[in-house]
Amino acid sequence: MRLLVVEDEIKTADYLRQGLTEAGFQVSLARNGLDGHHLAMTESFDLVILDVMLPDVDGWRILQSLREAKNATPVLFLTARDSVDDRVKGLELGADDYLIKPFAFVEVLARVRSLLRRTQAPSTQEAVSYTHLTLPTSDLV
Ligand code: CA
């Protein structure tokens, strides 16, 4: 599983990268919005963790570009505790979930796994039910 972390705060970025790597993910880290935007648009990831407050290209621009390009990669954004407007805006722009800073790593991991389950499950289920549907039919023929 490939994850992209876009975060300009050095401590938070390193904390996320280390924890997620130890949890078995392959983590690419962008420490500013420009690099984050470039990576998100040119490489393929299973999930993006996106800080909203970035000094150059902010998280909203990156999220907007992804969705405008019909890129449906799940996005988990990081926002400040008191900013209800940001949470609403992020979800309206097409993010899948958010985390409020400061967060505990166990929560990051739980949300990442939950999002990956949600986005990866449908194709498996489709294949399974398709098999179940076709077997009885072919028996009748
Ligand atoms: Ca930031």
Side-chain angles (χ1 to χ4, degrees):
M1 289 279 164
R2 291 195 70 200
L3 305 188
L4 171 63
V5 174
V6 187
E7 169 62 271
D8 61 310
E9 289 155 32
I10 292 168
K11 268 176 72 178
T12 312
D14 289 343
Y15 172 72
L16 284 172
R17 176 166 62 181
Q18 192 189 339
L20 291 165
T21 304
E22 280 169 12
F25 295 101
Q26 199 185 323
V27 182
S28 299
L29 178 60
R31 295 189 185 272
N32 60 64
L34 213 58
D35 288 351
H37 188 270
H38 178 73
L39 276 172
M41 296 300 287
T42 55
E43 294 189 24
S44 124
F45 297 96
D46 296 293
L47 184 138
V48 179
I49 298 179
L50 191 59
D51 184 35
V52 169
M53 299 286 284
L54 297 164
D56 39 20
V57 179
D58 70 19
W60 303 139
R61 279 271 305 281
I62 298 174
L63 177 56
Q64 242 170 336
S65 297
L66 275 176
R67 296 308 183 236
E68 276 167 18
K70 305 274 179 251
N71 182 323
T73 305
V75 170
L76 174 64
F77 68 94
L78 309 176
T79 182
R81 179 183 293 281
D82 51 0
S83 126
V84 179
D85 288 350
D86 272 7
R87 301 198 301 263
V88 172
K89 184 176 180 177
L91 296 171
E92 279 179 350
L93 283 176
D96 299 271
D97 204 353
Y98 60 83
L99 268 171
I100 296 170
K101 286 183 174 182
F103 44 74
F105 186 72
V106 284
E107 190 181 7
V108 178
L109 199 56
R111 295 214 184 218
V112 164
R113 286 186 171 145
S114 152
L115 273 180
L116 289 172
R117 263 200 311 274
R118 253 194 270 163
T119 50
Q120 317 237 321
S123 57
T124 319
Q125 271 177 353
E126 241 170 71
V128 170
S129 56
Y130 180 74
T131 316
H132 281 268
L133 280 173
T134 48
L135 278 178
T137 319
S138 53
D139 280 348
L140 288 173
V141 173

Short mmCIF file of all heavy atoms in Angstrom, two decimals, residues 59-121:
data_model
loop_
_atom_site.label_atom_id
_atom_site.label_comp_id
_atom_site.label_asym_id
_atom_site.label_seq_id
_atom_site.Cartn_x
_atom_site.Cartn_y
_atom_site.Cartn_z
N GLY A 59 -3.72 22.70 1.10
CA GLY A 59 -4.33 21.39 0.96
C GLY A 59 -5.57 21.41 0.09
O GLY A 59 -5.85 20.46 -0.64
N TRP A 60 -6.32 22.51 0.15
CA TRP A 60 -7.55 22.59 -0.65
C TRP A 60 -7.25 22.55 -2.14
O TRP A 60 -7.97 21.93 -2.91
CB TRP A 60 -8.34 23.86 -0.33
CG TRP A 60 -8.71 24.06 1.10
CD1 TRP A 60 -8.67 25.22 1.81
CD2 TRP A 60 -9.22 23.08 2.03
NE1 TRP A 60 -9.09 25.02 3.10
CE2 TRP A 60 -9.44 23.73 3.25
CE3 TRP A 60 -9.48 21.71 1.92
CZ2 TRP A 60 -9.92 23.06 4.37
CZ3 TRP A 60 -9.96 21.04 3.03
CH2 TRP A 60 -10.18 21.71 4.23
N ARG A 61 -6.20 23.27 -2.53
CA ARG A 61 -5.83 23.30 -3.96
C ARG A 61 -5.45 21.90 -4.44
O ARG A 61 -5.82 21.48 -5.54
CB ARG A 61 -4.63 24.24 -4.18
CG ARG A 61 -4.97 25.71 -4.26
CD ARG A 61 -5.30 26.16 -5.69
NE ARG A 61 -4.28 25.85 -6.68
CZ ARG A 61 -3.16 26.57 -6.84
NH1 ARG A 61 -2.92 27.62 -6.12
NH2 ARG A 61 -2.28 26.23 -7.77
N ILE A 62 -4.71 21.19 -3.59
CA ILE A 62 -4.28 19.84 -3.97
C ILE A 62 -5.49 18.92 -4.11
O ILE A 62 -5.64 18.20 -5.10
CB ILE A 62 -3.28 19.29 -2.92
CG1 ILE A 62 -2.04 20.17 -2.88
CG2 ILE A 62 -2.94 17.83 -3.23
CD1 ILE A 62 -1.05 19.81 -1.79
N LEU A 63 -6.39 19.00 -3.13
CA LEU A 63 -7.60 18.18 -3.15
C LEU A 63 -8.46 18.51 -4.38
O LEU A 63 -8.94 17.61 -5.08
CB LEU A 63 -8.38 18.44 -1.86
CG LEU A 63 -9.73 17.76 -1.67
CD1 LEU A 63 -9.62 16.25 -1.79
CD2 LEU A 63 -10.33 18.14 -0.31
N GLN A 64 -8.61 19.80 -4.66
CA GLN A 64 -9.40 20.24 -5.80
C GLN A 64 -8.81 19.72 -7.12
O GLN A 64 -9.52 19.23 -7.98
CB GLN A 64 -9.43 21.76 -5.85
CG GLN A 64 -10.81 22.31 -5.70
CD GLN A 64 -10.81 23.82 -5.51
OE1 GLN A 64 -9.82 24.40 -5.05
NE2 GLN A 64 -11.90 24.46 -5.85
N SER A 65 -7.50 19.85 -7.25
CA SER A 65 -6.84 19.38 -8.48
C SER A 65 -7.05 17.89 -8.68
O SER A 65 -7.31 17.43 -9.79
CB SER A 65 -5.33 19.65 -8.41
OG SER A 65 -5.09 21.02 -8.35
N LEU A 66 -6.93 17.13 -7.59
CA LEU A 66 -7.12 15.68 -7.69
C LEU A 66 -8.52 15.36 -8.19
O LEU A 66 -8.70 14.57 -9.12
CB LEU A 66 -6.94 15.04 -6.32
CG LEU A 66 -5.54 14.68 -5.86
CD1 LEU A 66 -5.59 14.15 -4.43
CD2 LEU A 66 -4.93 13.63 -6.77
N ARG A 67 -9.52 15.96 -7.56
CA ARG A 67 -10.90 15.64 -7.92
C ARG A 67 -11.26 16.14 -9.32
O ARG A 67 -12.01 15.50 -10.04
CB ARG A 67 -11.87 16.20 -6.88
CG ARG A 67 -11.71 15.57 -5.47
CD ARG A 67 -11.74 14.04 -5.50
NE ARG A 67 -11.66 13.46 -4.15
CZ ARG A 67 -10.76 12.58 -3.76
NH1 ARG A 67 -9.82 12.17 -4.59
NH2 ARG A 67 -10.78 12.10 -2.53
N GLU A 68 -10.70 17.31 -9.70
CA GLU A 68 -10.95 17.82 -11.04
C GLU A 68 -10.35 16.90 -12.10
O GLU A 68 -10.85 16.81 -13.21
CB GLU A 68 -10.38 19.23 -11.20
CG GLU A 68 -11.34 20.31 -10.68
CD GLU A 68 -10.68 21.67 -10.54
OE1 GLU A 68 -9.61 21.89 -11.14
OE2 GLU A 68 -11.25 22.51 -9.82
N ALA A 69 -9.28 16.22 -11.73
CA ALA A 69 -8.64 15.28 -12.66
C ALA A 69 -9.29 13.91 -12.58
O ALA A 69 -8.76 12.93 -13.09
CB ALA A 69 -7.15 15.19 -12.35
N LYS A 70 -10.46 13.83 -11.91
CA LYS A 70 -11.20 12.58 -11.74
C LYS A 70 -10.37 11.52 -11.02
O LYS A 70 -10.53 10.32 -11.26
CB LYS A 70 -11.68 12.02 -13.10
CG LYS A 70 -12.50 12.99 -13.91
CD LYS A 70 -13.96 12.95 -13.52
CE LYS A 70 -14.80 13.94 -14.30
NZ LYS A 70 -15.27 15.07 -13.50
N ASN A 71 -9.49 12.00 -10.15
CA ASN A 71 -8.68 11.09 -9.36
C ASN A 71 -9.42 10.84 -8.03
O ASN A 71 -9.64 11.76 -7.26
CB ASN A 71 -7.31 11.73 -9.11
CG ASN A 71 -6.37 10.84 -8.32
OD1 ASN A 71 -6.79 10.12 -7.41
ND2 ASN A 71 -5.10 10.89 -8.66
N ALA A 72 -9.81 9.60 -7.79
CA ALA A 72 -10.66 9.28 -6.65
C ALA A 72 -9.87 8.73 -5.46
O ALA A 72 -10.46 8.15 -4.54
CB ALA A 72 -11.74 8.30 -7.06
N THR A 73 -8.56 8.89 -5.46
CA THR A 73 -7.75 8.42 -4.34
C THR A 73 -8.32 8.96 -3.02
O THR A 73 -8.59 10.15 -2.91
CB THR A 73 -6.29 8.93 -4.49
OG1 THR A 73 -5.80 8.52 -5.75
CG2 THR A 73 -5.40 8.38 -3.38
N PRO A 74 -8.54 8.07 -2.03
CA PRO A 74 -9.08 8.56 -0.76
C PRO A 74 -8.15 9.59 -0.11
O PRO A 74 -6.94 9.41 -0.09
CB PRO A 74 -9.21 7.31 0.11
CG PRO A 74 -8.59 6.20 -0.63
CD PRO A 74 -8.40 6.62 -2.05
N VAL A 75 -8.75 10.66 0.41
CA VAL A 75 -7.98 11.73 1.04
C VAL A 75 -8.45 11.91 2.49
O VAL A 75 -9.63 12.07 2.76
CB VAL A 75 -8.14 13.07 0.28
CG1 VAL A 75 -7.54 14.23 1.07
CG2 VAL A 75 -7.50 12.98 -1.10
N LEU A 76 -7.48 11.86 3.38
CA LEU A 76 -7.70 12.11 4.80
C LEU A 76 -7.00 13.42 5.11
O LEU A 76 -5.78 13.52 4.92
CB LEU A 76 -7.06 10.96 5.59
CG LEU A 76 -7.02 11.01 7.12
CD1 LEU A 76 -8.41 10.99 7.71
CD2 LEU A 76 -6.21 9.84 7.65
N PHE A 77 -7.74 14.46 5.50
CA PHE A 77 -7.04 15.72 5.73
C PHE A 77 -6.89 16.04 7.21
O PHE A 77 -7.63 15.57 8.05
CB PHE A 77 -7.68 16.87 4.94
CG PHE A 77 -9.06 17.30 5.37
CD1 PHE A 77 -9.24 18.34 6.26
CD2 PHE A 77 -10.18 16.67 4.86
CE1 PHE A 77 -10.52 18.75 6.65
CE2 PHE A 77 -11.46 17.07 5.25
CZ PHE A 77 -11.63 18.11 6.14
N LEU A 78 -5.88 16.85 7.50
CA LEU A 78 -5.53 17.21 8.87
C LEU A 78 -5.93 18.65 9.10
O LEU A 78 -5.58 19.54 8.33
CB LEU A 78 -4.02 17.07 9.08
CG LEU A 78 -3.40 15.73 8.66
CD1 LEU A 78 -1.89 15.78 8.83
CD2 LEU A 78 -3.99 14.58 9.47
N THR A 79 -6.70 18.89 10.15
CA THR A 79 -7.21 20.24 10.37
C THR A 79 -7.10 20.63 11.85
O THR A 79 -6.86 19.78 12.70
CB THR A 79 -8.67 20.33 9.87
OG1 THR A 79 -9.14 21.65 10.03
CG2 THR A 79 -9.59 19.38 10.62
N ALA A 80 -7.29 21.92 12.12
CA ALA A 80 -7.19 22.41 13.49
C ALA A 80 -8.46 22.12 14.27
O ALA A 80 -9.54 22.00 13.69
CB ALA A 80 -6.92 23.91 13.48
N ARG A 81 -8.31 22.04 15.57
CA ARG A 81 -9.39 21.64 16.45
C ARG A 81 -10.68 22.47 16.30
O ARG A 81 -11.77 21.93 16.24
CB ARG A 81 -8.91 21.75 17.90
CG ARG A 81 -9.93 21.38 18.93
CD ARG A 81 -9.37 21.59 20.32
NE ARG A 81 -8.28 20.64 20.60
CZ ARG A 81 -8.48 19.37 20.96
NH1 ARG A 81 -9.70 18.91 21.07
NH2 ARG A 81 -7.48 18.58 21.21
N ASP A 82 -10.52 23.81 16.21
CA ASP A 82 -11.71 24.66 16.30
C ASP A 82 -12.29 25.03 14.93
O ASP A 82 -13.15 25.88 14.83
CB ASP A 82 -11.37 25.94 17.08
CG ASP A 82 -10.12 26.60 16.54
OD1 ASP A 82 -9.55 26.06 15.56
OD2 ASP A 82 -9.72 27.65 17.07
N SER A 83 -11.79 24.41 13.88
CA SER A 83 -12.22 24.91 12.60
C SER A 83 -13.27 24.05 11.90
O SER A 83 -13.00 23.24 11.04
CB SER A 83 -10.97 25.18 11.78
OG SER A 83 -10.94 24.62 10.64
N VAL A 84 -14.52 24.27 12.32
CA VAL A 84 -15.66 23.55 11.75
C VAL A 84 -15.77 23.85 10.25
O VAL A 84 -16.04 22.96 9.45
CB VAL A 84 -16.98 23.97 12.45
CG1 VAL A 84 -18.17 23.24 11.84
CG2 VAL A 84 -16.89 23.69 13.93
N ASP A 85 -15.56 25.13 9.88
CA ASP A 85 -15.67 25.52 8.46
C ASP A 85 -14.72 24.71 7.59
O ASP A 85 -15.07 24.29 6.50
CB ASP A 85 -15.33 27.00 8.29
CG ASP A 85 -16.44 27.90 8.84
OD1 ASP A 85 -17.52 27.36 9.16
OD2 ASP A 85 -16.22 29.11 8.94
N ASP A 86 -13.50 24.51 8.10
CA ASP A 86 -12.52 23.73 7.34
C ASP A 86 -12.97 22.29 7.15
O ASP A 86 -12.79 21.71 6.09
CB ASP A 86 -11.17 23.72 8.07
CG ASP A 86 -10.31 24.91 7.67
OD1 ASP A 86 -10.83 25.78 6.94
OD2 ASP A 86 -9.15 24.95 8.07
N ARG A 87 -13.56 21.73 8.20
CA ARG A 87 -13.98 20.33 8.09
C ARG A 87 -15.08 20.19 7.05
O ARG A 87 -15.07 19.27 6.23
CB ARG A 87 -14.44 19.82 9.45
CG ARG A 87 -13.29 19.94 10.45
CD ARG A 87 -13.41 19.13 11.69
NE ARG A 87 -14.55 19.33 12.55
CZ ARG A 87 -14.54 20.10 13.65
NH1 ARG A 87 -13.48 20.80 13.96
NH2 ARG A 87 -15.59 20.16 14.42
N VAL A 88 -16.02 21.12 7.07
CA VAL A 88 -17.11 21.09 6.10
C VAL A 88 -16.56 21.30 4.70
O VAL A 88 -16.90 20.57 3.76
CB VAL A 88 -18.16 22.18 6.44
CG1 VAL A 88 -19.20 22.29 5.34
CG2 VAL A 88 -18.82 21.88 7.77
N LYS A 89 -15.69 22.30 4.55
CA LYS A 89 -15.12 22.60 3.24
C LYS A 89 -14.38 21.39 2.66
O LYS A 89 -14.54 21.04 1.50
CB LYS A 89 -14.14 23.78 3.38
CG LYS A 89 -13.56 24.24 2.07
CD LYS A 89 -12.70 25.47 2.27
CE LYS A 89 -12.12 25.93 0.94
NZ LYS A 89 -11.33 27.15 1.08
N GLY A 90 -13.58 20.75 3.50
CA GLY A 90 -12.82 19.59 3.05
C GLY A 90 -13.72 18.48 2.55
O GLY A 90 -13.49 17.90 1.49
N LEU A 91 -14.77 18.19 3.30
CA LEU A 91 -15.67 17.12 2.90
C LEU A 91 -16.41 17.49 1.63
O LEU A 91 -16.62 16.66 0.75
CB LEU A 91 -16.64 16.78 4.04
CG LEU A 91 -15.96 16.22 5.30
CD1 LEU A 91 -16.95 16.12 6.45
CD2 LEU A 91 -15.32 14.86 5.04
N GLU A 92 -16.78 18.78 1.52
CA GLU A 92 -17.48 19.22 0.31
C GLU A 92 -16.58 19.18 -0.92
O GLU A 92 -17.05 18.97 -2.03
CB GLU A 92 -18.06 20.63 0.51
CG GLU A 92 -19.37 20.57 1.28
CD GLU A 92 -19.99 21.93 1.54
OE1 GLU A 92 -19.31 22.94 1.28
OE2 GLU A 92 -21.15 21.96 1.98
N LEU A 93 -15.30 19.41 -0.72
CA LEU A 93 -14.37 19.37 -1.85
C LEU A 93 -14.04 17.93 -2.26
O LEU A 93 -13.34 17.72 -3.24
CB LEU A 93 -13.07 20.10 -1.50
CG LEU A 93 -13.11 21.62 -1.52
CD1 LEU A 93 -11.77 22.19 -1.05
CD2 LEU A 93 -13.42 22.14 -2.91
N GLY A 94 -14.53 16.97 -1.50
CA GLY A 94 -14.34 15.59 -1.92
C GLY A 94 -13.36 14.79 -1.09
O GLY A 94 -12.94 13.70 -1.49
N ALA A 95 -13.01 15.30 0.10
CA ALA A 95 -12.16 14.49 0.99
C ALA A 95 -13.02 13.39 1.60
O ALA A 95 -14.25 13.50 1.64
CB ALA A 95 -11.57 15.37 2.08
N ASP A 96 -12.39 12.32 2.07
CA ASP A 96 -13.14 11.19 2.58
C ASP A 96 -13.26 11.19 4.09
O ASP A 96 -14.21 10.63 4.64
CB ASP A 96 -12.46 9.90 2.10
CG ASP A 96 -12.46 9.83 0.59
OD1 ASP A 96 -13.42 9.31 0.03
OD2 ASP A 96 -11.52 10.37 -0.04
N ASP A 97 -12.29 11.79 4.76
CA ASP A 97 -12.32 11.83 6.21
C ASP A 97 -11.32 12.88 6.67
O ASP A 97 -10.55 13.40 5.86
CB ASP A 97 -11.95 10.46 6.77
CG ASP A 97 -12.50 10.23 8.19
OD1 ASP A 97 -13.05 11.18 8.78
OD2 ASP A 97 -12.36 9.11 8.69
N TYR A 98 -11.35 13.21 7.96
CA TYR A 98 -10.40 14.19 8.48
C TYR A 98 -9.93 13.76 9.87
O TYR A 98 -10.54 12.92 10.52
CB TYR A 98 -11.03 15.58 8.55
CG TYR A 98 -12.24 15.66 9.44
CD1 TYR A 98 -12.11 15.81 10.82
CD2 TYR A 98 -13.52 15.56 8.90
CE1 TYR A 98 -13.23 15.87 11.64
CE2 TYR A 98 -14.63 15.62 9.72
CZ TYR A 98 -14.48 15.76 11.09
OH TYR A 98 -15.58 15.80 11.89
N LEU A 99 -8.84 14.36 10.29
CA LEU A 99 -8.32 14.17 11.64
C LEU A 99 -8.05 15.54 12.22
O LEU A 99 -7.56 16.43 11.52
CB LEU A 99 -7.01 13.39 11.58
CG LEU A 99 -7.08 11.88 11.71
CD1 LEU A 99 -5.72 11.29 11.40
CD2 LEU A 99 -7.52 11.48 13.11
N ILE A 100 -8.38 15.70 13.49
CA ILE A 100 -8.16 16.99 14.14
C ILE A 100 -6.83 16.95 14.88
O ILE A 100 -6.54 16.02 15.63
CB ILE A 100 -9.32 17.28 15.12
CG1 ILE A 100 -10.62 17.41 14.32
CG2 ILE A 100 -9.04 18.53 15.93
CD1 ILE A 100 -11.87 17.44 15.17
N LYS A 101 -6.01 17.99 14.61
CA LYS A 101 -4.71 18.09 15.28
C LYS A 101 -4.89 18.65 16.69
O LYS A 101 -5.72 19.56 16.87
CB LYS A 101 -3.81 19.05 14.50
CG LYS A 101 -3.27 18.48 13.21
CD LYS A 101 -2.34 19.53 12.61
CE LYS A 101 -1.65 18.98 11.39
NZ LYS A 101 -0.71 19.94 10.83
N PRO A 102 -4.15 18.22 17.68
CA PRO A 102 -3.19 17.12 17.62
C PRO A 102 -3.91 15.77 17.70
O PRO A 102 -4.94 15.66 18.35
CB PRO A 102 -2.33 17.36 18.87
CG PRO A 102 -3.25 18.05 19.82
CD PRO A 102 -4.24 18.81 19.00
N PHE A 103 -3.36 14.78 17.04
CA PHE A 103 -4.02 13.47 17.02
C PHE A 103 -3.07 12.41 17.59
O PHE A 103 -1.87 12.60 17.64
CB PHE A 103 -4.43 13.10 15.60
CG PHE A 103 -3.35 13.39 14.60
CD1 PHE A 103 -2.24 12.59 14.50
CD2 PHE A 103 -3.45 14.50 13.76
CE1 PHE A 103 -1.24 12.86 13.58
CE2 PHE A 103 -2.45 14.78 12.85
CZ PHE A 103 -1.34 13.96 12.76
N ALA A 104 -3.65 11.31 18.01
CA ALA A 104 -2.85 10.18 18.47
C ALA A 104 -2.59 9.28 17.27
O ALA A 104 -3.46 9.14 16.40
CB ALA A 104 -3.60 9.41 19.55
N PHE A 105 -1.42 8.67 17.24
CA PHE A 105 -1.10 7.85 16.08
C PHE A 105 -2.08 6.69 15.89
O PHE A 105 -2.42 6.34 14.75
CB PHE A 105 0.34 7.34 16.13
CG PHE A 105 0.68 6.61 14.87
CD1 PHE A 105 0.88 7.31 13.69
CD2 PHE A 105 0.73 5.23 14.84
CE1 PHE A 105 1.13 6.65 12.49
CE2 PHE A 105 0.98 4.56 13.65
CZ PHE A 105 1.18 5.27 12.49
N VAL A 106 -2.55 6.10 16.98
CA VAL A 106 -3.50 4.99 16.85
C VAL A 106 -4.74 5.41 16.06
O VAL A 106 -5.31 4.61 15.33
CB VAL A 106 -3.94 4.40 18.21
CG1 VAL A 106 -2.84 3.55 18.81
CG2 VAL A 106 -4.39 5.47 19.17
N GLU A 107 -5.13 6.68 16.22
CA GLU A 107 -6.31 7.15 15.49
C GLU A 107 -6.00 7.30 14.01
O GLU A 107 -6.82 6.98 13.15
CB GLU A 107 -6.81 8.47 16.08
CG GLU A 107 -8.17 8.82 15.51
CD GLU A 107 -8.76 10.13 16.02
OE1 GLU A 107 -8.06 10.86 16.74
OE2 GLU A 107 -9.91 10.42 15.66
N VAL A 108 -4.81 7.80 13.69
CA VAL A 108 -4.39 7.92 12.29
C VAL A 108 -4.48 6.54 11.64
O VAL A 108 -5.09 6.37 10.58
CB VAL A 108 -2.93 8.42 12.18
CG1 VAL A 108 -2.49 8.48 10.72
CG2 VAL A 108 -2.76 9.77 12.85
N LEU A 109 -3.89 5.59 12.31
CA LEU A 109 -3.82 4.24 11.76
C LEU A 109 -5.22 3.65 11.58
O LEU A 109 -5.53 3.04 10.54
CB LEU A 109 -2.98 3.37 12.70
CG LEU A 109 -2.42 2.09 12.11
CD1 LEU A 109 -1.58 2.37 10.87
CD2 LEU A 109 -1.57 1.37 13.16
N ALA A 110 -6.09 3.84 12.56
CA ALA A 110 -7.44 3.31 12.48
C ALA A 110 -8.20 3.93 11.30
O ALA A 110 -8.89 3.24 10.56
CB ALA A 110 -8.19 3.58 13.78
N ARG A 111 -8.03 5.24 11.12
CA ARG A 111 -8.75 5.91 10.02
C ARG A 111 -8.20 5.52 8.67
O ARG A 111 -8.94 5.35 7.70
CB ARG A 111 -8.69 7.42 10.20
CG ARG A 111 -9.41 7.83 11.43
CD ARG A 111 -10.08 9.15 11.26
NE ARG A 111 -10.67 9.50 12.54
CZ ARG A 111 -11.83 10.10 12.69
NH1 ARG A 111 -12.52 10.44 11.64
NH2 ARG A 111 -12.31 10.35 13.87
N VAL A 112 -6.88 5.39 8.58
CA VAL A 112 -6.26 4.98 7.32
C VAL A 112 -6.77 3.60 6.94
O VAL A 112 -7.21 3.36 5.81
CB VAL A 112 -4.72 4.98 7.45
CG1 VAL A 112 -4.06 4.20 6.33
CG2 VAL A 112 -4.20 6.42 7.48
N ARG A 113 -6.76 2.69 7.90
CA ARG A 113 -7.20 1.31 7.60
C ARG A 113 -8.67 1.26 7.24
O ARG A 113 -9.08 0.53 6.34
CB ARG A 113 -6.91 0.41 8.80
CG ARG A 113 -5.43 0.12 8.89
CD ARG A 113 -5.13 -0.88 9.97
NE ARG A 113 -3.73 -1.30 9.90
CZ ARG A 113 -2.98 -1.59 10.95
NH1 ARG A 113 -3.49 -1.51 12.16
NH2 ARG A 113 -1.73 -1.96 10.80
N SER A 114 -9.48 2.05 7.95
CA SER A 114 -10.91 2.07 7.67
C SER A 114 -11.19 2.61 6.26
O SER A 114 -12.00 2.06 5.52
CB SER A 114 -11.61 2.90 8.74
OG SER A 114 -12.77 3.48 8.26
N LEU A 115 -10.47 3.68 5.89
CA LEU A 115 -10.65 4.24 4.54
C LEU A 115 -10.21 3.26 3.47
O LEU A 115 -10.86 3.12 2.44
CB LEU A 115 -9.84 5.53 4.39
CG LEU A 115 -10.50 6.81 4.84
CD1 LEU A 115 -9.55 7.98 4.63
CD2 LEU A 115 -11.78 7.05 4.05
N LEU A 116 -9.11 2.59 3.71
CA LEU A 116 -8.61 1.63 2.72
C LEU A 116 -9.58 0.46 2.57
O LEU A 116 -9.82 -0.02 1.47
CB LEU A 116 -7.22 1.13 3.11
CG LEU A 116 -6.10 2.17 2.95
CD1 LEU A 116 -4.79 1.65 3.53
CD2 LEU A 116 -5.90 2.53 1.48
N ARG A 117 -10.17 0.03 3.68
CA ARG A 117 -11.17 -1.05 3.62
C ARG A 117 -12.37 -0.61 2.79
O ARG A 117 -12.85 -1.34 1.94
CB ARG A 117 -11.66 -1.39 5.03
CG ARG A 117 -10.97 -2.56 5.67
CD ARG A 117 -11.80 -3.13 6.82
NE ARG A 117 -12.27 -2.14 7.76
CZ ARG A 117 -11.56 -1.70 8.80
NH1 ARG A 117 -10.34 -2.17 9.03
NH2 ARG A 117 -12.06 -0.80 9.62
N ARG A 118 -12.83 0.61 3.08
CA ARG A 118 -14.01 1.12 2.38
C ARG A 118 -13.77 1.25 0.88
O ARG A 118 -14.64 0.97 0.09
CB ARG A 118 -14.34 2.51 2.93
CG ARG A 118 -15.55 2.54 3.81
CD ARG A 118 -16.00 3.97 4.02
NE ARG A 118 -15.36 4.55 5.19
CZ ARG A 118 -15.31 5.87 5.43
NH1 ARG A 118 -15.81 6.72 4.57
NH2 ARG A 118 -14.73 6.33 6.51
N THR A 119 -12.57 1.71 0.50
CA THR A 119 -12.33 1.99 -0.91
C THR A 119 -11.90 0.74 -1.67
O THR A 119 -12.01 0.69 -2.87
CB THR A 119 -11.29 3.10 -1.09
OG1 THR A 119 -10.15 2.79 -0.30
CG2 THR A 119 -11.85 4.43 -0.66
N GLN A 120 -11.39 -0.26 -0.97
CA GLN A 120 -10.89 -1.43 -1.69
C GLN A 120 -11.86 -2.59 -1.66
O GLN A 120 -11.76 -3.49 -2.45
CB GLN A 120 -9.54 -1.88 -1.10
CG GLN A 120 -8.64 -0.70 -0.82
CD GLN A 120 -7.31 -0.79 -1.51
OE1 GLN A 120 -6.74 -1.86 -1.59
NE2 GLN A 120 -6.81 0.31 -2.01
N ALA A 121 -12.82 -2.57 -0.74
CA ALA A 121 -13.73 -3.71 -0.58
C ALA A 121 -14.66 -3.97 -1.77
O ALA A 121 -14.82 -5.11 -2.14
CB ALA A 121 -14.54 -3.56 0.70
#
